[in-house]
Amino acid sequence: MLETHRKIFEIFQQSGFEIKPDKIDFHYSANIESQLIALNIKVENIRNVTLSVEKENLPLKIYHDFNSYLKLTEVKNNNNVLILNPDNLPYSLINNSTYINFEEKNENYFFKNAISFNDFIDFLKTQEIDTEEAFHFVDYLNDISRKIVFTSLTDKGRLIVKYHNQISHFDENINLNNSLENFKNCFVEKNHHLPKFLKSSIIEYASRFDSENRIYSVFEELNEITNNARINFEIYLNNLSIDKIRKEYDEYKSKYFKDVSEILNNLTQKIIGFPLLIATTLFAIEKVKESSTFLILLIITILITNIYMVFLLKINFNDLSYIKTISNQDFKTLKENNFFTKYPNELEIFIKIKSRITVRVKLLELICESYFWILGISNIAIIGLIFNYLSFSFVQITLVLLVLLLILSISRNSILNNKENDL
């Protein structure tokens, strides 16, 4: 059959022609006449001026260009087609396979999309059923005026979708038949209520376009329309609502950011007061450096401050660990909801918030530990200064400072290793 397409196309290239509603007229040529006869095509020689071929005598349907083929009345039950396209490459449809310039192109969906659009219109016609049931997917369809009416289930408005005999030239690189099959699957018996959501989705989407062209937009976006309906259907099945999801999102966000902010404010106050604390301590040392008793009291005070700081770090780390653990548990519970299991993309906003909370907790842990080390090392340095005023030797001071640094390091590691156990 492909060879027949090629030979017939060559005949059109060799001769002037006119395609009429019922026949095709070629300029007379004995060569053209012999080629037609060789293909078993009945031809009428009119006074050696015109060669006339009845279309019904041709072994295939021939069209001058895309527009002459793209009609509902033409694509219906038409599986052997040659589109001449004089200004472009010829297209052939043979046994559901597409050929461009007589080479098979499995990734070209020109014919499949046109046929699928016709199937889409036919399917909508089957949904206009005159029954006493409360729900009708298509409320009214007139095949003469080519008008489809959808009545909204939530308000009293209605949407008119007009279709025409002409079919749009859809993107040849996209297989719209897959979207149509996805759409039809919404009407299987197990999805009893899904068509209600599909109807609302079509009304919502189609209302953005004018009534003359919205049928093409709806067909092109059937996949998006169907997926939106399925999401809303899952929300309904899981006893959720968009408002509830947004409320949970706001609560999730504000709850943990509030807890983290309280810890941050607490640390900020301490960090801001840190230079003043050091300055005050050094000023006090300078005033009492001649009194050993006061210097020893200052050492005791600083050591007590370090012990307090260790407990403070422990509390802060435990709070941050608690926030992280509970936020992870809450997020896991939310993520395991059947709705988000089926539609993981809808969880994206929650993932971003969860990520922000995790980052802030890690940052606060870093700030908390940095404050611990800076204050601890500063206090140890001050103790070293006091021991110097007390006339300790360099070796003695070094040994004391090393011991204090070791104790500080052990305290830090103990806190971090046991923070999870203290929850």
Side-chain angles (χ1 to χ4, degrees):
M1 182 56 72
L2 180 62
E3 191 60 29
T4 300
H5 278 239
R6 190 194 308 274
K7 290 179 178 179
I8 290 177
F9 178 72
E10 289 173 354
I11 291 173
F12 278 94
Q13 284 188 309
Q14 296 168 21
S15 172
F17 61 89
E18 181 183 1
I19 299 179
K20 296 180 178 179
D22 298 322
K23 62 182 180 178
I24 300 174
D25 289 340
F26 296 94
H27 295 172
Y28 175 77
S29 163
N31 180 42
I32 297 297
E33 184 175 18
S34 63
Q35 289 185 60
L36 290 170
I37 294 172
L39 290 170
N40 293 320
I41 297 174
K42 186 177 179 181
V43 57
E44 181 182 359
N45 185 341
I46 304 175
R47 301 175 185 176
N48 286 342
V49 174
T50 302
L51 295 173
S52 183
V53 177
E54 297 290 333
K55 284 186 175 180
E56 62 182 22
N57 293 327
L58 291 167
L60 68 163
K61 290 288 188 71
I62 298 175
Y63 299 90
H64 184 268
D65 52 25
F66 290 129
N67 287 336
S68 58
Y69 167 76
L70 288 171
K71 301 180 188 303
L72 294 176
T73 50
E74 298 299 330
V75 304
K76 197 183 295 289
N77 301 321
N78 197 348
N79 198 30
N80 193 2
V81 173
L82 171 62
I83 302 176
L84 301 173
N85 278 336
D87 299 326
N88 209 319
L89 298 176
Y91 276 51
S92 296
L93 174 66
I94 304 172
N95 296 326
N96 294 320
S97 295
T98 299
Y99 296 83
I100 300 178
N101 203 23
F102 311 107
E103 294 182 4
E104 188 170 6
K105 301 292 182 180
N106 292 324
E107 300 302 317
N108 185 284
Y109 303 103
F110 168 78
F111 290 108
K112 181 168 284 189
N113 288 342
I115 294 169
S116 295
F117 181 79
N118 178 71
D119 291 344
F120 175 57
I121 299 299
D122 286 344
F123 182 79
L124 290 178
K125 292 176 182 178
T126 66
Q127 298 305 308
E128 198 264 328
I129 305 172
D130 188 14
T131 67
E132 295 182 357
E133 292 185 13
F135 172 74
H136 296 145
F137 183 77
V138 173
D139 296 284
Y140 173 78
L141 190 146
N142 191 314
D143 204 19
I144 298 175
S145 61
R146 295 196 173 100
K147 182 170 70 173
I148 305 170
V149 177
F150 297 93
T151 302
S152 174
L153 300 173
T154 55
D155 54 51
K156 295 182 179 179
R158 66 174 189 163
L159 180 82
I160 296 175
V161 178
K162 295 181 180 179
Y163 65 96
H164 315 278
N165 189 39
Q166 191 69 37
I167 300 174
S168 178
H169 190 151
F170 300 110
D171 190 334
E172 297 178 13
N173 298 313
I174 301 175
N175 185 0
L176 295 176
N177 185 64
N178 292 337
S179 301
L180 178 60
E181 292 304 314
N182 189 24
F183 174 80
K184 288 181 178 180
N185 286 337
C186 295
F187 294 84
V188 298
E189 189 173 346
K190 66 178 182 179
N191 295 329
H192 183 61
H193 293 287
L194 181 53
K196 296 178 182 178
F197 294 89
L198 186 60
K199 181 176 183 177
S200 297
S201 186
I202 285 180
I203 292 173
E204 179 185 358
Y205 185 86
S207 60
R208 306 172 194 172
F209 304 93
D210 65 90
S211 61
E212 296 295 328
N213 297 307
R214 61 179 43 141
I215 188 65
Y216 306 125
S217 300
V218 167
F219 182 67
E220 286 179 311
E221 299 300 330
L222 264 187
N223 213 42
E224 180 182 341
I225 292 169
T226 303
N227 289 340
N228 182 62
R230 289 184 183 277
I231 289 173
N232 290 333
F233 183 49
E234 288 297 329
I235 290 173
Y236 164 76
L237 289 180
N238 288 280
N239 196 27
L240 293 174
S241 68
I242 295 299
D243 290 337
K244 184 177 179 182
I245 291 176
R246 287 174 181 163
K247 183 179 178 182
E248 287 181 358
Y249 155 69
D250 289 333
E251 289 176 351
Y252 181 85
K253 178 178 66 174
S254 60
K255 174 183 176 182
Y256 296 110
F257 273 107
K258 180 181 178 182
D259 292 341
V260 171
S261 296
E262 287 178 356
I263 297 174
L264 178 60
N265 291 336
N266 188 25
L267 283 173
T268 302
Q269 291 173 5
K270 289 180 173 59
I271 292 170
I272 292 173
F274 176 70
L276 181 61
L277 175 64
I278 296 298
T280 303
T281 304
L282 292 174
F283 179 77
I285 292 172
E286 186 64 28
K287 288 294 184 181
V288 300
K289 64 181 178 181
E290 303 298 332
S291 172
S292 299
T293 304
F294 279 109
L295 290 175
I296 292 170
L297 286 174
L298 273 174
I299 291 174
I300 295 172
T301 302
I302 292 171
L303 289 173
I304 292 173
T305 301
N306 269 17
I307 294 171
Y308 167 77
M309 181 185 61
V310 169
F311 282 111
L312 177 65
L313 178 67
K314 182 180 178 66
I315 291 171
N316 285 338
F317 265 114
N318 284 345
D319 287 345
L320 290 171
S321 182
Y322 176 80
I323 291 171
K324 186 160 59 175
T325 301
I326 297 302
S327 67
N328 286 339
Q329 290 176 353
D330 287 352
F331 180 76
K332 183 180 179 182
T333 301
L334 182 71
K335 185 173 67 173
E336 289 176 350
N337 184 285
N338 190 46
F339 172 75
F340 293 116
T341 301
K342 292 187 176 181
Y343 298 96
N345 289 340
E346 300 300 312
L347 196 62
E348 268 187 32
I349 187 66
F350 294 92
I351 293 174
K352 290 178 181 178
I353 293 301
K354 171 65 172 57
S355 177
R356 286 189 62 195
I357 292 172
T358 301
V359 169
R360 292 196 69 173
V361 168
K362 287 182 179 179
L363 181 61
L364 276 178
E365 287 178 340
L366 180 61
I367 293 173
C368 192
E369 185 172 358
S370 299
Y371 176 74
F372 170 82
W373 281 111
I374 292 171
L375 184 58
I377 291 172
S378 299
N379 285 340
I380 291 172
I382 291 172
I383 291 173
L385 178 63
I386 294 173
F387 277 131
N388 183 57
Y389 285 139
L390 291 172
S391 301
F392 278 64
S393 68
F394 177 77
V395 174
Q396 289 173 323
I397 293 173
T398 302
L399 286 174
V400 171
L401 295 185
L402 288 175
V403 170
L404 291 175
L405 277 173
L406 179 61
I407 294 172
L408 188 68
S409 179
I410 292 172
S411 300
R412 179 263 180 199
N413 291 335
S414 176
I415 290 169
L416 292 184
N417 291 336
N418 295 313
K419 63 179 182 177
E420 294 292 343
N421 298 328
D422 292 334
L423 287 177

